[in-house]
Amino acid sequence: MGAIVATSRTPDVLRELGARLKALRLRQNLRVKDLATRAGVGARTIDRVEAGHSVGTDTLVRIMRGLGRLQAFEGFIPPPELSPYEIEKLRGKPRQRASRRPPPEPAS
């Protein structure tokens, strides 16, 4: 298997992803038909992905879920980090006084 780098052409990246998905499937001892059933897609779709053809995002998510690797997207596209300004804004203003409502009665 090769490396995916910034200068990789899209068809090369798709072929590499397909090869990696196939290797992952085989490591789990899954037949194409079994993964297709788990993922809720056709066996031909799995064949096409593994051959390096493009598929929709929803299909890729289904396949990753079928392989038990959905969490891999966390590293692939991590959630954006908050800037210090956004953190301060979320913190809000400190309370200056109590509300007029009486506090709730303690539970007995």
Side-chain angles (χ1 to χ4, degrees), residues 46-73:
I46 302 296
D47 287 332
R48 289 180 46 78
V49 169
E50 291 180 354
H53 293 273
S54 180
V55 294
T57 309
D58 61 324
T59 301
L60 182 59
V61 168
R62 287 171 180 240
I63 292 170
M64 292 297 282
R65 183 178 288 121
L67 290 168
R69 295 297 305 242
L70 195 57
Q71 75 281 3
F73 286 117

Side-chain angles (χ1 to χ4, degrees), residues 66-84:
L67 290 168
R69 295 297 305 242
L70 195 57
Q71 75 281 3
F73 286 117
E74 282 295 322
F76 173 53
I77 306 173
E81 293 182 24
L82 295 176
S83 71

